[in-house]
Amino acid sequence: MRKNRDMLHGFVLGVLLVALVTAIPVTADATGARKATIDVVYNNIKLVIDGNEVTPRDANGKVVEPFVYNGTTYLPLRAISNALTGGAKPVSWDQSTYTVYIGERPVEPGKIVDMVDMKTYPANQQVFQAGQSFQLRQQTWTPFNVCNNFGGTFLLKGDYAELNGFLAVPDGGNMTLPELITLTISDADTGAVLFKGAPERMGEPIPVHADLTGVDRLSISLVGTYCKFYNVTLTTIPRG
């Protein structure tokens, strides 16, 4: 048996399977967080899942040893989740709200989401890239995200209110077949077209807007090697 406040603190920040909620003596810091010095037991506790021994590790690969406190065995959540789901459900910790998330995080109401953070469904690919500059109307543009020549689907689950962005053809873009350069945004389930447009070479960027109310799966088709779909955001449904 040994006392180790730092070890306990590291376990909590590393995400535990069960949070410690009772300990004596208890103090509070300026944020209201409770701190305690407790007695825990480390005894080379082994973790075996479906016949396979698992070595618990934190996000950095460091071994995290289970311990016993007041007759309850505490195990690192990340190791348990990865072992049970094959890593299919990510485990994350939100320091600002002291919240543990397993799998997807809930969508925050009224939040603007950068499309860089959205991945295709079900391929799980990131198609919007950050920091790609291009020349437009003899000026250098560096959008916060950009997509080129893409077709795919995003899972929205009805959590989003609208999509906004811009569509343009950079200087030097090949417009010999303008009828083939088109952006189409539609509801993948109903087939309803939410936006359809084609930019002009050397023309002003086209504002893109799509009402996503009730859309579970969003289809985006961007045809044209030289076409840029950029500064694209999703806005979640406001609270209330």
Side-chain angles (χ1 to χ4, degrees):
M1 180 177 297
R2 65 177 181 263
K3 298 181 180 180
N4 194 324
R5 179 183 301 185
D6 291 338
M7 178 66 76
L8 174 61
H9 185 64
F11 266 81
V12 174
L13 294 184
V15 189
L16 291 176
L17 178 63
V18 182
L20 295 175
V21 295
T22 304
I24 299 176
V26 177
T27 61
D29 62 16
T31 67
R34 291 183 299 173
K35 295 183 178 180
T37 299
I38 64 173
D39 291 332
V40 298
V41 177
Y42 293 92
N43 193 24
N44 193 28
I45 298 172
K46 294 180 175 59
L47 174 61
V48 179
I49 298 179
D50 291 334
N52 299 311
E53 185 171 344
V54 176
T55 300
R57 299 180 184 275
D58 63 17
N60 298 316
K62 182 179 179 180
V63 175
V64 182
E65 185 181 351
F67 63 85
V68 177
Y69 170 65
N70 276 357
T72 299
T73 302
Y74 292 83
L75 305 171
L77 177 58
R78 188 182 304 277
I80 300 299
S81 177
N82 289 342
L84 293 177
T85 69
K89 291 187 177 295
V91 176
S92 57
W93 167 256
D94 189 332
Q95 179 69 28
S96 63
T97 61
Y98 285 82
T99 304
V100 176
Y101 293 99
I102 304 175
E104 295 183 7
R105 293 192 180 199
V107 175
E108 181 181 340
K111 181 180 180 180
I112 296 177
V113 178
D114 188 333
M115 281 298 290
V116 166
D117 298 327
M118 301 294 292
K119 294 185 178 181
T120 58
Y121 174 84
N124 198 38
Q125 296 177 333
Q126 182 182 30
V127 295
F128 282 83
Q129 306 297 325
Q132 293 188 353
S133 300
F134 57 86
Q135 291 289 318
L136 179 62
R137 299 175 64 83
Q138 299 182 343
Q139 295 183 1
T140 300
W141 293 55
T142 305
F144 56 79
N145 67 38
V146 65
C147 177
N148 307 289
N149 195 27
F150 164 75
T153 302
F154 297 89
L155 187 62
L156 303 187
K157 299 182 179 180
D159 292 328
Y160 297 87
E162 62 182 10
L163 175 149
N164 291 285
F166 293 91
L167 183 65
V169 176
D171 298 350
N174 187 347
M175 294 295 289
T176 57
L177 296 174
E179 70 277 6
L180 297 181
I181 299 180
T182 308
L183 171 67
T184 304
I185 300 174
S186 59
D187 186 325
D189 295 308
T190 67
V193 176
L194 308 175
F195 175 90
K196 188 170 185 177
E200 297 181 0
R201 185 175 181 273
M202 297 298 293
E204 291 284 349
I206 298 176
V208 176
H209 173 79
D211 185 345
L212 303 181
T213 304
V215 176
D216 290 324
R217 296 189 305 140
L218 182 70
S219 174
I220 296 179
S221 174
L222 178 62
V223 179
T225 303
Y226 297 96
C227 193
K228 302 291 185 182
F229 186 27
Y230 66 95
N231 284 356
V232 184
T233 62
L234 300 176
T235 303
T236 62
I237 295 176
R239 190 183 302 276

